């Protein structure tokens, strides 16, 4: 199966391409640098179109039509010329109901897709956030993340104004489910869930709180729900030192993702484990770690390497307690709950294979 992704270099496009790589799904990448001939070639060979391309803040209103509705029509016309019935997913916007040029062009795109007769997925997105978002472009959240991370002022006209947020990984999950046929085509407007309602004032205070925790001795914040976890993971990307790459690994046990790296404050990662899974079983000679389970229930065990005494620490969403792991303590962590667990892990310095300081030893 081959996927055509338009707008592949944009905010959502980057996240989708990463996920397609992980899933092993082949795709064609189309953006402003590509030619119409390349577009025709990609369409002739693809089995599914994900149309993310478009502009939000152009230099002129005319660009709204050229980059949104006109491009959508061109793609649909090329598909029609091939005689193929290719499923078509459109990234629209909740602004399609508004009387402005952006909204009008998005509504035109929706109508064109439905009128094409192709198997259609028309999603209206609202205030998407996640790492790699451009400040002063993608959303107010992206601007807040960037400015607070870089000690720049933020402007809030009404702190009680509520915004409906969706997380970019949830968008990508939805798109992948469409590609795999889990989500079926529809003649109705579709929406991504979950949607998180948050006031502007609360979002600003939440990000500032996360920053204060990272630079403190605790390093890890108290996280109350999935929205706060997603905001924290996103902010970490903006607050990390420049120039670092972040690793992600997933297997039958769960996943492990690096989300923050700083020469000054160390490294923060997210460990996800399925029920019953045990990870770890090693010690460090000079590095310190902190574990905090923010979803599910985990048991962390510690044993000083020259003793037989094992200390057990149960962590869950309600307790919000942290486990400090000092040098020369072998340790492991097991998900003892019924659902997937999520644990934040801080380590005192950035991981490197050259200075791993990690030695295998069962607890």
């Amino acid at each position: 199966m081959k996927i055509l992704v338009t707008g592949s270099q944009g905010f959502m496009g980057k996240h989708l391409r990463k996920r397609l790589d992980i899933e092993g799904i082949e795709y064609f990448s189309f953006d402003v640098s590509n030619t119409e001939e390349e577009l025709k070639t990609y369409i002739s060979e693809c089995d599914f179109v994900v149309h993310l391309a478009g502009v939000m803040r152009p230099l002129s209103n005319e660009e709204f039509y050229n980059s949104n509705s006109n491009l959508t029509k061109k793609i649909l016309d090329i598909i029609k010329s091939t005689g193929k019935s290719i499923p078509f997913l459109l990234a629209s916007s909740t602004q399609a109901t508004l009387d402005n040029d952006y909204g009008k062009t998005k509504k035109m795109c929706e109508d064109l897709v439905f009128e094409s007769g192709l198997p259609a997925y028309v999603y209206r997105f609202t205030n998407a956030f996640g790492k790699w978002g451009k400040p002063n472009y993608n959303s107010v959240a992206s601007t807040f993340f960037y400015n607070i991370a870089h000690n720049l002022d933020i402007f809030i006209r009404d702190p009680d104004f509520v915004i409906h947020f969706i997380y970019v990984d949830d968008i990508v999950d939805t798109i992948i489910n469409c590609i795999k046929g889990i989500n079926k085509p529809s003649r109705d407007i579709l929406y991504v869930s979950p949607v998180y309602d948050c006031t502007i004032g609360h979002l600003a205070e939440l990000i500032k709180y996360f920053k204060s925790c990272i630079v403190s001795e605790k390093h890890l914040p108290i996280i109350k729900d999935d929205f706060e976890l997603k905001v924290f993971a996103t902010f970490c990307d903006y607050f990390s030192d420049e120039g670092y790459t972040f690793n992600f690994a997933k297997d039958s046990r769960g996943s492990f993702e690096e989300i923050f790296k700083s020469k000054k404050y160390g490294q923060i990662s997210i460990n996800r484990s399925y029920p019953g899974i045990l990870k770890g079983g090693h010690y460090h000679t000079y590095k310190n770690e902190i574990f905090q389970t923010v979803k599910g229930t985990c048991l962390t065990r510690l044993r000083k390497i020259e003793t037989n005494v094992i200390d057990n620490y149960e962590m869950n969403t309600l307790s919000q307690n942290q486990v400090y792991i000092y040098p020369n303590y072998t340790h492991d962590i097991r998900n003892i709950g019924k659902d997937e667990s999520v644990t934040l892990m801080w380590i005192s310095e950035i991981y490197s294979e050259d200075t791993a300081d990690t030695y295998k030893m069962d607890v």
Side-chain angles (χ1 to χ4, degrees), residues 103 132 277 288 306 340:
W132 308 334
I277 293 298
N288 292 276
E306 66 268 23
E340 179 191 61

Side-chain angles (χ1 to χ4, degrees), residues 99-170:
D99 187 24
N100 57 46
D101 286 302
Y102 178 67
K104 289 176 181 177
T105 56
K106 283 300 184 182
K107 182 63 169 65
M108 291 171 65
C109 292
E110 294 176 356
D111 293 341
L112 287 166
V113 174
F114 285 131
E115 291 166 3
S116 71
L118 296 174
Y121 301 85
V122 175
Y123 279 93
R124 285 182 180 173
F125 298 146
T126 174
N127 296 295
F129 75 97
K131 65 181 180 181
W132 308 334
K134 294 181 181 179
N136 304 305
Y137 185 83
N138 286 121
S139 73
V140 64
S142 301
T143 304
F144 281 13
F145 289 133
Y146 182 87
N147 285 18
I148 292 172
H150 294 84
N151 299 314
L152 301 174
D153 292 334
I154 58 173
F155 174 71
I156 300 176
R157 179 181 289 110
D158 179 5
D160 296 322
F161 183 77
V162 176
I163 292 186
H164 313 295
F165 289 105
I166 54 176
Y167 188 49
V168 69
D169 285 5
D170 294 325

Side-chain angles (χ1 to χ4, degrees), residues 1 12-13 84 130 197-198 212 252 262 271 277 294 300 361:
M1 188 176 195
M12 293 182 192
K84 298 166 64 178
D197 292 345
C198 180
S212 69
S252 59
S262 167
N271 178 62
I277 293 298
V294 298
T300 296
M361 179 181 285

Side-chain angles (χ1 to χ4, degrees), residues 19-259:
R19 179 67 178 275
L20 291 171
D21 287 335
I22 293 172
E23 296 278 345
I25 299 174
E26 188 175 352
Y27 61 89
F28 299 109
S29 182
F30 180 83
D31 216 276
V32 292
S33 61
N34 295 101
T35 66
E36 185 171 335
E37 287 305 310
E38 288 175 311
L39 178 61
K40 291 179 179 178
T41 300
Y42 297 157
I43 290 175
S44 68
E45 298 182 19
C46 78
D47 305 295
F48 197 109
V49 174
V50 180
H51 185 32
L52 304 177
V55 295
M56 297 173 61
R57 292 174 173 82
L59 297 177
S60 67
N61 287 341
E62 184 177 314
E63 193 177 344
F64 273 132
Y65 295 88
N66 289 333
S67 299
N68 292 343
S69 52
N70 291 351
L71 175 60
T72 300
K73 185 178 186 305
K74 179 182 293 184
I75 295 171
L76 292 170
D77 286 344
I78 295 172
I79 294 175
K80 184 178 180 179
S81 70
T82 68
K84 298 166 64 178
S85 182
I86 303 174
F88 193 100
L89 187 148
L90 172 70
S92 187
S93 167
T94 52
Q95 290 199 42
T97 61
L98 301 181
D99 187 24
N100 57 46
D101 286 302
Y102 178 67
K104 289 176 181 177
T105 56
K106 283 300 184 182
K107 182 63 169 65
M108 291 171 65
C109 292
E110 294 176 356
D111 293 341
L112 287 166
V113 174
F114 285 131
E115 291 166 3
S116 71
L118 296 174
Y121 301 85
V122 175
Y123 279 93
R124 285 182 180 173
F125 298 146
T126 174
N127 296 295
F129 75 97
K131 65 181 180 181
W132 308 334
K134 294 181 181 179
N136 304 305
Y137 185 83
N138 286 121
S139 73
V140 64
S142 301
T143 304
F144 281 13
F145 289 133
Y146 182 87
N147 285 18
I148 292 172
H150 294 84
N151 299 314
L152 301 174
D153 292 334
I154 58 173
F155 174 71
I156 300 176
R157 179 181 289 110
D158 179 5
D160 296 322
F161 183 77
V162 176
I163 292 186
H164 313 295
F165 289 105
I166 54 176
Y167 188 49
V168 69
D169 285 5
D170 294 325
I171 295 173
V172 170
D173 286 343
T174 300
I175 295 174
I176 293 296
N177 286 341
C178 294
I179 292 171
K180 291 183 175 181
I182 298 171
N183 294 349
K184 303 303 180 183
S186 175
R187 301 297 298 174
D188 297 322
I189 298 295
L190 302 172
Y191 298 89
V192 171
S193 62
V195 177
Y196 302 102
D197 292 345
C198 180
T199 66
I200 291 288
H202 178 65
L203 178 65
E205 292 306 313
L206 190 61
I207 299 171
K208 291 176 182 177
Y209 164 66
F210 289 156
K211 181 176 181 179
S212 69
C213 290
I214 291 175
V215 302
S216 72
E217 292 184 357
K218 291 188 65 175
H219 302 292
L220 302 177
I222 300 298
I223 291 177
K224 302 182 181 69
D225 53 40
D226 282 345
F227 175 64
E228 292 194 0
L229 178 60
K230 291 169 180 177
V231 171
F232 177 67
T234 302
F235 175 64
C236 284
D237 180 67
Y238 290 81
F239 195 54
S240 291
D241 289 349
E242 298 291 335
Y244 288 113
T245 58
F246 297 85
N247 297 312
F248 175 81
K250 185 176 183 179
D251 57 25
S252 59
R253 302 175 302 164
S255 64
F256 187 84
E257 181 177 13
E258 299 173 337
I259 61 171

